[in-house]
Amino acid sequence: MNVVVCVKQIPDPAAPGALDPQSHTLVREGKLILDDSDAYGVEMGLQLAGDAGEVTLVSMAPNQEVSGVRTALAMGAAKAIVVSDPALKGSDALSTAKVLAKAIERVGADLILAATESTDGYTGTTPVQVAELLGLPSVTFAKKVTVSDGKVRVERQTEAGFDEVECPMPCLVTVTAGVVEPRYPSFKGIMAAKSKPVDQLTVADLGLDASSVGAAGARQEITSVAAAEARGGGDIVVDEGDAHERIVQFLEQLKLV
Amino acid sequence: MNFAFSEEQEELRRSVRRFLADRSPMAEVRRLMETTDGFDRPVWAQMANQLGLQSLVVPEAYGGAGFGFVELAVVLEETGAALLGAPLFATVALATTALMASGDEAAMADLLPGIAAGETIATVALTEDSGRWDLDGVSLAATARDGRWVLDGHKMFVLDGHVADLILVAARTERGMSLFAVEGTADGLTRTPLPTMDQTRKQARLELASTPGRLVGEDGGAGPVLARMLDLAAVALAAEQVGGAQRCLDMAVDYAKNRIQFGRPIGSFQAIKHKCADMLLQVESAKSAAYYGAWAAADGSDELPVVASLAKSYCSEAYFHCAAENIQIHGGIGFTWEHDAHLYFKRAKSSELLLGDPAYHRELLAQRIGI
């Protein structure tokens, strides 16, 4: 089985992030790393692809950036497509989805995996848009994925528990952290990743019109940015015989009980 | 020569660091240090099967990955920073290097693949009651009896000796210093875990009574083998010490920035600034020494014996200095059991003495450069 995993290369979350003062978009210059949340998809893909199939990575990145993709190649993915183009600057989620969908079409996958959302942008909308553009069904928030008889069976995380969903392949599945434990690359894998094929493509290579992507094609605009609300003081519960009930209420609110 | 780490080596560092943060966080280090074995077998297996840490420097012909000492130094710097409780140092820095230095192809073919696969935990038993890390301290005797070798005597301070499946024992035969492979379950072998000040690195006393051993290398030919093992181990330990020292510096600087006293962060006081600056100076110098040692080991340089003792003596003092100053900068809280500072302090002290203290290595250094 051939699996495509959509991966995003993001600025190191440990370093303080910044927003571009004009466009209000994230500054994504310099060295980028593999989004941690994508490591789950890569691992899931490697396990499902098995020895007979292979995992192809698809990524859109500024400045032909590949260092994050190399991490996923070191885990065991066979090859990668990285789309880089100045015309993609300022892309919204839909533009990104258009690019990823076109790139995925070139590979031909039985299954497409993605994280539920990226760690830097958090829109969580790109994967389902990719599925829609490809005309494929999608299942989101998978906490368990198994494949048999050309179908994928997913335990789909819900607030109360999980749904069991079955879906014909090809399809797209987004996986949560915890679906599998991502492997840690060995030095052998890291060295092997150096020589794995990474196809660097532009918007024109994909046959997309430059005006339909990037800032030119963006259908969303960030008009303003506000600082996050400072954390307020906690509630103090004075026990008047009902403290236990109020604590239970509070925990219920957080869906912890 | 180029001392900058390659992108791939940095990627290895990130991989190992992430693994240790996930699988060997401080809570786990503390849990394991209270156990007799001192390590977690599933973690050990994952180190072998996924990261390939045990096979890193083992040649491909013997089931390893065939990489060099620079990569090993990167790994040990991270395990030292995390205070990983596992028999990794004993297995890769002591036993693997001793086997490879022996040049005994049959022994390597039999023993290295198990080490590389993470199935064999191995160590070297050199020291005896004197605690000396040179060959003069060895009195344990091996004799040929009915066509096989048996060992009689005892060893002290054997790293992970109580959990090792394979123990390479330095012993004296009629022909001189020799090396013997002894199985952990061998007849007549009694292993007693020793109480250690540094609970994150376990030691054992081994009692051998007519214990069978397999000669590794030539009868009487282990002198140069052990000497090379000791040099390589010194470089490996220096890398570990650098990792620990850097972590102490990071902890101290972080605390100095956050701890407010008299209305300002304590890091703004000159007395604290100076301490941090001195720590940084030592950490950076220690890195230069340890990385040079790793390069000399990887490159087969003649300089190795000189650099090994230089790195071991300097890095020992740098780590201990940083671990002690870290406690001072933390003040009262740094002196509590709950804070991790004391774990680094104890590891720094045990590492300072392991393989010979700084005075011993400075003496070796003086001899080796002909002073």
Side-chain angles (χ1 to χ4, degrees), chain B residues 95-234:
Chain B
T96 303
T97 54
L99 277 171
M100 283 166 63
S102 76
D104 184 333
E105 285 187 19
M108 286 194 278
D110 287 346
L111 303 173
L112 285 176
I115 290 177
E119 288 156 9
T120 307
I121 293 167
T123 190
V124 170
L126 177 71
T127 40
E128 297 179 10
D129 289 343
S130 65
R132 289 178 65 156
W133 283 93
D134 59 13
L135 306 185
D136 294 341
V138 177
S139 65
L140 188 136
T143 43
R145 222 178 283 161
D146 308 328
R148 60 183 204 135
W149 289 99
V150 291
L151 287 74
D152 288 282
H154 69 271
K155 291 284 178 185
M156 280 293 280
F157 319 117
V158 181
L159 291 190
D160 302 300
H162 59 307
V163 291
D165 307 299
L166 166 67
I167 303 154
L168 296 168
V169 181
R172 289 192 183 278
T173 67
E174 279 176 7
R175 293 198 175 177
M177 187 59 60
S178 307
L179 191 63
F180 294 88
V182 173
E183 288 178 17
T185 52
D187 290 340
L189 173 64
T190 311
R191 313 196 276 180
T192 315
L194 295 170
T196 49
M197 178 194 64
D198 168 16
Q199 291 174 280
T200 63
R201 182 131 55 201
K202 304 295 183 187
Q203 298 181 359
R205 176 192 155 95
L206 307 182
E207 187 86 42
L208 295 90
S210 297
T211 303
R214 165 187 180 168
L215 180 67
V216 175
E218 301 273 316
D219 180 11
V225 174
L226 289 165
R228 178 159 174 81
M229 183 274 289
L230 285 168
D231 287 341
L232 291 170

Side-chain angles (χ1 to χ4, degrees), chain A residues 154-171:
Chain A
V154 172
E155 288 181 9
R156 183 179 184 277
Q157 186 75 50
T158 63
E159 286 196 353
F162 64 86
D163 296 333
E164 285 178 5
V165 183
E166 201 176 84
C167 178
M169 293 200 294
C171 63

Side-chain angles (χ1 to χ4, degrees), chain A residues 71 183-187 194, chain B residues 8 11 15 22 50-51 71:
Chain A
T71 305
R183 70 193 65 185
Y184 302 89
S186 68
F187 194 60
K194 261 173 87 170
Chain B
E8 290 72 32
E11 181 79 28
S15 184
D22 293 346
Q50 278 186 20
L51 290 132
E71 287 78 27

Side-chain angles (χ1 to χ4, degrees), chain A residues 31 33 36 39 67 70-72 74-75 181-188 190-191 194, chain B residues 7-9 11-12 14-15 18-19 22-23 46 50-52 56 60 64-65 67 71:
Chain A
K31 199 172 159 57
I33 63 168
D36 257 356
S67 45
R70 292 271 177 226
T71 305
M75 288 173 70
E181 192 197 339
R183 70 193 65 185
Y184 302 89
S186 68
F187 194 60
K188 220 172 173 176
I190 292 165
M191 292 305 280
K194 261 173 87 170
Chain B
E7 226 173 271
E8 290 72 32
Q9 287 161 346
E11 181 79 28
L12 171 68
R14 279 193 293 277
S15 184
R18 197 162 58 84
F19 172 75
D22 293 346
R23 302 305 306 269
Q46 203 175 6
Q50 278 186 20
L51 290 132
L56 198 58
E60 283 175 302
F67 294 110
E71 287 78 27

Side-chain angles (χ1 to χ4, degrees), chain B residues 35-47:
Chain B
T35 65
T36 308
D37 283 3
F39 75 108
D40 187 62
R41 288 189 187 267
V43 170
W44 178 256
Q46 203 175 6
M47 282 163 58

